[in-house]
Amino acid sequence: MTESPCRPAPAGGTSGDDAVDGDVAVIAASLHEPERFAVLFDRHAPAIHRYVARRLGRDAADDVTAETFLTAFRIRARFDAERAGVRPWLHGIAAKQIGRYRRDEVKALKVLARTGADPVAETWTDAADDRVAAQAVSRPLARALARLSDGDRHALLLFAWADFSYQEIAQALDIPVGTVRSRLNRARRKLRATANVTGPVLDSRAPEGDLA
């Protein structure tokens, strides 16, 4: 592989300690055998695509996912396993790509808040039976998300939609864990105050520490 690590993604990804160890080895091997990097795309592109689609819609997710892995491929020699796992590293690159769409994301959220209709909202739940429940919270949630700063929104949605721990969010965004805690606390307070949002859209698991 000399130009692109990307190829059509399978239905699912790989997770667990074995995959993490394997990911680090793949990056190291790809420095001498670039085609090996395609393994990371196969493992992680579906999860990156799902996360980006929830934020920007499926069309933008195709472009952002491709650019995320092209960027990762170009900078793979700078990957430091002591600082970040592969999954946070990739999501951090994706977050920077999403940042290029910041105005589009906020605009879409504001449209959704006004009208209750936007294609991005359809990606907030994968099960058709859950659509009604998702639509019930989509307008206040969209309004509240649009009002968050970029940093707070990144931290909150990595926690809620990518299922990241505090440490993984810190690694992805290259910020201290204490800053992650502050951003999450602030974002959740704003959502509770302005939207009274709870349930599966944001509370996908029990929060950590004093976030509850």
Side-chain angles (χ1 to χ4, degrees):
M1 176 187 309
T2 57
E3 296 182 357
S4 171
C6 299
R7 61 194 189 196
T14 302
S15 60
D17 292 341
D18 291 342
V20 170
D21 292 341
D23 287 344
V24 174
V26 166
I27 292 177
S30 75
L31 297 177
H32 305 288
E33 300 175 78
E35 67 275 7
R36 295 282 296 277
F37 197 85
V39 173
L40 292 187
F41 184 86
D42 290 343
R43 288 178 178 172
H44 297 288
I48 294 288
H49 190 277
R50 283 193 298 271
Y51 175 70
V52 178
R54 293 182 101 176
R55 296 192 59 172
L56 301 177
R58 291 184 177 89
D59 290 342
D62 293 342
D63 293 338
V64 170
T65 300
E67 188 58 38
T68 293
F69 282 90
L70 286 169
T71 300
F73 180 72
R74 288 194 296 266
I75 68 173
R76 67 194 187 283
R78 304 208 304 262
F79 172 73
D80 183 357
E82 297 297 322
R83 293 189 58 192
V86 172
R87 195 168 72 110
W89 179 62
L90 290 171
H91 276 79
I93 295 172
K96 292 179 181 178
Q97 297 299 325
I98 290 171
R100 296 169 52 193
Y101 290 77
R102 180 184 64 82
R103 291 183 181 178
D104 292 338
E105 181 181 30
V106 172
K107 181 178 178 180
L109 288 169
K110 288 180 177 178
V111 169
L112 175 57
R114 270 198 324 272
T115 68
D118 187 90
V120 173
E122 296 179 4
T123 66
W124 290 6
T125 175
D126 294 328
D129 290 343
D130 291 338
R131 292 279 168 83
V132 173
Q135 289 170 359
V137 300
S138 62
R139 293 181 68 175
L141 173 60
R143 186 178 298 108
L145 288 175
R147 292 174 177 172
L148 295 178
S149 69
D150 290 349
D152 288 358
R153 189 162 56 246
H154 279 319
L156 179 68
L157 296 183
L158 283 171
F159 175 82
W161 287 350
D163 201 32
F164 271 25
S165 67
Y166 283 18
Q167 185 62 42
E168 288 174 321
I169 296 170
Q171 292 172 350
L173 301 181
D174 195 22
I175 57 178
V177 173
T179 301
V180 172
R181 184 178 297 278
S182 297
R183 289 185 181 182
L184 288 174
N185 282 337
R186 181 168 55 242
R188 291 291 292 270
R189 282 198 304 270
K190 289 181 178 178
L191 260 64
R192 282 194 291 262
T194 63
N196 194 28
V197 173
T198 60
V201 176
L202 288 179
D203 297 327
S204 59
R205 69 191 190 282
E208 302 179 31
D210 61 4
L211 191 63

